[in-house]
């Protein structure tokens, strides 16, 4: 079972992917995490992507597609979750070609549905561990010690692109470029919509039930 998990920024794709990885032994392919890894290691790809990401804009399709292709070639038969890719119709079309070339297929495109005012509250309050990437929320998911990750003890930070003005740019990019994928996946018969509201476990059960 290979799936695409998509939805607006803040819909909970990363949180739910982590559960699918732990419980269903799937491999998470998060383009956002891959880019952040490149930025941390100061690679050329990271330098190319950083200015777009910091501004809340989408990284150009050719850069993203090339990066995903390298991962897809190297899966060794493991089931995967595409988290945050594709984010535009041209990326989805490129994905179809890459899947064909690597004898892979997507079974479901799961849409995590969350209203816009909730997305804003989630993103402005989100804090991320600088060590292991675990996510917290200033109100809804506080760490045991303020500013410190429960899991690895590293410092928590707000992502540069989780500042309010940048969030608005990201939500606009989502509406303009990613929302049209709903129709794209419906036409392919892969689309499933799951409410992303409520407790993490409830949402996980909805996703697992839809697969
Ligand atoms: P995320 O962690 O999924 O919220 O992604 C963070 C940022 O990485 C986005 O706001 C974009 O700038 C960039 N990014 C991640 N995935 C993609 C993609 N598929 N296409 C273009 N830009 C992306």
């Amino acid at each position: 079972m290979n799936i695409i998990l998509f939805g607006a920024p803040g819909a909970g794709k990363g949180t739910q992917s982590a559960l699918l990885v732990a419980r269903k032994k799937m491999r998470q392919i998060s383009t956002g995490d891959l880019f952040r890894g490149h930025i941390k290691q100061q690679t050329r790809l990271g330098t190319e992507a950083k200015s777009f990401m910091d501004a809340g804009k989408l990284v150009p399709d050719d850069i993203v597609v090339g990066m995903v292709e390298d991962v897809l070639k190297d899966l060794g038969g493991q089931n995967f979750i595409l988290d945050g890719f594709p984010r535009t119709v041209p990326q989805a079309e490129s994905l179809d070609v890459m899947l064909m070339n690597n004898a892979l297929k997507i079974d479901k495109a799961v849409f995590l549905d969350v209203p816009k005012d909730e997305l804003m509250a989630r993103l402005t309050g989100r804090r991320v561990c600088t060590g292991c990437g675990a996510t917290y929320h200033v109100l809804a998911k506080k760490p045991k010690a303020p500013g410190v990750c429960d899991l690895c003890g590293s410092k928590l930070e707000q992502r540069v692109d989780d500042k309010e003005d940048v969030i608005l740019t990201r939500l606009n990019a989502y509406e303009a470029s990613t929302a049209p994928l709903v129709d794209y996946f419906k036409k392919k018969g892969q689309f499933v919509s799951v409410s992303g509201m409520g407790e993490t476990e409830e949402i996980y059960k909805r996703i697992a039930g839809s697969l």
Side-chain angles (χ1 to χ4, degrees):
M1 168 76 67
N2 300 319
I3 68 169
I4 292 167
L5 196 54
F6 79 114
K13 300 182 294 289
T15 303
Q16 294 300 326
S17 293
L19 292 180
L20 287 162
V21 168
R23 298 177 188 178
K24 295 202 181 283
K25 308 282 171 265
M26 296 170 86
R27 162 106 173 251
Q28 178 190 12
I29 305 170
S30 158
T31 42
D33 285 350
L34 289 170
F35 281 134
R36 281 183 287 276
H38 277 282
I39 291 171
K40 218 172 184 175
Q41 287 165 26
Q42 301 182 325
T43 68
R44 211 179 90 186
L45 189 72
T47 312
E48 281 175 339
K50 190 175 185 312
S51 56
F52 295 98
M53 292 175 72
D54 287 353
K57 294 181 182 159
L58 293 181
V59 177
D61 289 338
D62 54 337
I63 299 178
V64 190
V65 167
M67 182 174 74
V68 173
E69 186 160 33
D70 288 342
V71 181
L72 289 179
K73 276 186 197 152
D74 211 22
L75 278 171
Q78 196 176 8
N79 287 344
F80 61 88
I81 310 154
L82 285 172
D83 160 7
F85 180 89
R87 247 176 166 102
T88 66
V89 171
Q91 287 180 20
E93 289 165 350
S94 299
L95 174 64
D96 285 340
V97 176
M98 293 190 284
L99 291 170
M100 206 171 66
N101 290 344
N102 291 283
L104 296 167
K105 76 174 176 72
I106 295 294
D107 298 285
K108 294 266 159 67
V110 182
F111 175 64
L112 264 182
D113 192 11
V114 174
K116 200 168 175 177
D117 52 347
E118 169 75 11
L119 296 170
M120 200 66 189
R122 286 189 189 181
L123 291 167
T124 50
R126 178 161 70 178
R127 298 294 180 271
V128 182
C129 174
T130 50
C132 69
T135 55
Y136 296 83
H137 190 277
V138 290
L139 300 174
K141 194 183 170 201
K142 294 181 187 174
K144 288 186 189 116
V148 180
C149 179
D150 294 347
L151 302 176
C152 75
S154 300
K155 200 171 134 235
L156 305 185
E157 265 182 9
Q158 185 174 38
R159 267 169 53 173
V160 179
D161 60 350
D162 279 347
K163 305 264 159 56
E164 203 162 327
D165 53 331
V166 184
I167 292 172
L168 288 175
T169 309
R170 290 166 66 202
L171 291 175
N172 288 337
Y174 166 77
E175 286 296 339
S177 304
T178 310
L181 287 175
V182 168
D183 279 340
Y184 187 88
F185 295 130
K186 275 185 181 167
K187 280 188 194 132
K188 291 173 76 78
Q190 294 168 332
F191 181 80
V192 191
S193 180
V194 164
S195 166
M197 295 295 286
E199 295 294 320
T200 302
E201 280 298 329
E202 284 172 37
I203 301 165
Y204 177 78
K205 278 189 196 136
R206 287 181 208 134
I207 294 175
S210 78
L211 300 181

